[in-house]
Amino acid sequence: MKERVILVALVKNNRERYKKIADLEELKALTETAGGEVIGSFIQVKENPSPRTLLGKGKIKELKEICEKYHIDLLIFDNQLTPSQVRNIEQETNVRTIDRRALILDIFARHAKTTEAMLQVELAQLNYQLTMLTGKGEQLSQLGGGIGTRGPGEKKLEVDKRKIRERIYFLKKSLEKIKKTKELQRSQREHFFKIALAGYTNSGKSTLFKALTKENVYISEELFATLDTNTKAFEIYPNIKVLITDTVGFIKNLPPQLITAFHATLEDIKRSDLIIHLIDATTENVEEKINIVQETLKNLGCDEEKITLVFNKIDLLFEKTQYLRLKRKYPEALFISALKGTNLEKLKNFIRKKMKTFLKRKTLKIKKEKGFILSYIYRNSYVIDFKENENEYWVKILAYPQFIYSLSSQI
Ligand SMILES: Nc1nc2c(ncn2[C@@H]2O[C@H](COP(=O)(O)OP(=O)(O)OP(=O)(O)O)[C@@H](O)[C@H]2O)c(=O)[nH]1
Ligand SMILES: [Mg+2]
């Protein structure tokens, strides 16, 4: 049976309350992705949050009554909670309580499929637990403990912390090993033009990946459907391949533990020659989401010059106004529908333009007795023109410089 959930948020004033509604919509989608059923939401407007329970005393009481009446199993706070706040709220409402960060970690844990993703998620979860335990320790010493509580309590915490640290050490070692294998793969791919798909969760990255590579990947309206990077080649010109990588999506306030743990995965974005920042053009607060992704990319150390904005899902933009507004505000951006295939040719042309300096044009003169090499050339380059006379073939090609270089010793 689905857990029955109430979403809770605290905002400073009425203006923020209005903005919070979109955040709660997102929190609802996250909750549903995690398998919960949202029964309602609860917002308190209060200038100063209570250090004990975030919400004020009266509101907590009100919340407790609602939880009893509607048989609520779980409270999910949009605001970040301290460990002691979690405990106090649980004590006073009798309902299990988590915050947005814990919810996102839970979704990541559900969706991790490959060994690497599972190790990364566990690492993020343990680091998160460690911060929560540290908080609990502080709480205990602040209370002064007392006979029978403080001593053993702290001791148990120390044991827990030590076990967690040991496991973290093990996970980091295992991830190191995977990283080495990945490095090897990367070096083999070094000379290809590399594209990364980045963007807010649910913007359609995997759908675009599938449209370009014809690869069957998992696509879903759930948030964070993709946690594992997936790299595939597709031909941008006949016989000229580029590599494209589908990655994990971003979200507002992504727990920092996840960014750290997924570093190896996100490294693929940084190392790309072109980053396609894909945006769901139909979503609420588009600009805010664009800024969150741009900010995350910047923090990862991505070169801004490499980032291109691409608006997706234009098949759903029935109203022209949103389209025109975005076009005016982001004149350089492209507009596509990954699902319907609209403007994919435009996107490919854009990629071709971007990779101009990565490819070389060359006219090869090949003696007829070396004609056997032609099939090798045809397989690895885009033949623009072909002529022959009695003794020679003239082949005008477009190819990666490395390929042209490899030919020089053979013709
Ligand atoms: N109408 C429409 N729907 C789209 C389009 N592109 C993607 N979708 C839908 O949007 C949802 C999310 O698509 P995904 O490709 O899984 O998105 P993602 O960016 O990979 O999401 P995460 O992996 O969760 O970060 C799915 O239900 C898709 O069918 C589009 O161009 N038009
Ligand atoms: Mg995806």
Side-chain angles (χ1 to χ4, degrees), residues 7 44 54 60 62 85 93 101 122 144 152 155 158 167 206 250 260 314 373 377 382 390:
L7 308 178
Q44 181 178 21
L54 193 86
I60 286 283
E62 217 179 291
Q85 282 173 335
T93 59
R101 290 175 306 166
E122 194 186 345
K155 215 178 206 163
E158 283 313 313
R167 181 74 187 156
S206 300
F250 300 151
T260 317
I314 57 162
I373 208 166
I377 293 174
Y382 175 37
E390 252 168 71

Side-chain angles (χ1 to χ4, degrees), residues 111 199-208 218-227 246-250 278 280 312-316 336-341:
H111 288 180
Y200 213 79
T201 179
N202 213 42
S203 57
K205 298 176 295 297
S206 300
T207 307
L208 179 59
Y218 185 60
I219 291 166
S220 159
E221 55 190 30
E222 291 175 334
L223 305 183
F224 300 111
T226 311
L227 291 188
D246 182 19
T247 64
V248 51
F250 300 151
L278 200 65
D280 179 346
N312 187 31
K313 308 196 187 180
I314 57 162
D315 57 297
L316 294 179
I336 65 163
S337 165
L339 192 70
K340 306 277 179 211

Side-chain angles (χ1 to χ4, degrees), residues 12-56:
K12 283 202 164 61
N13 49 45
N14 271 318
R15 217 174 60 110
E16 272 195 27
R17 183 198 178 99
Y18 175 71
K19 280 206 316 208
K20 204 63 216 155
I21 291 169
D23 284 353
L24 287 185
E25 266 311 303
E26 183 170 273
L27 193 64
K28 182 169 180 239
L30 285 166
T31 306
E32 284 165 358
T33 296
E37 184 188 354
V38 176
I39 306 299
S41 54
F42 195 88
I43 303 182
Q44 181 178 21
V45 182
K46 189 174 190 291
E47 180 69 34
N48 298 310
S50 145
R52 238 183 78 71
T53 47
L54 193 86
L55 305 185

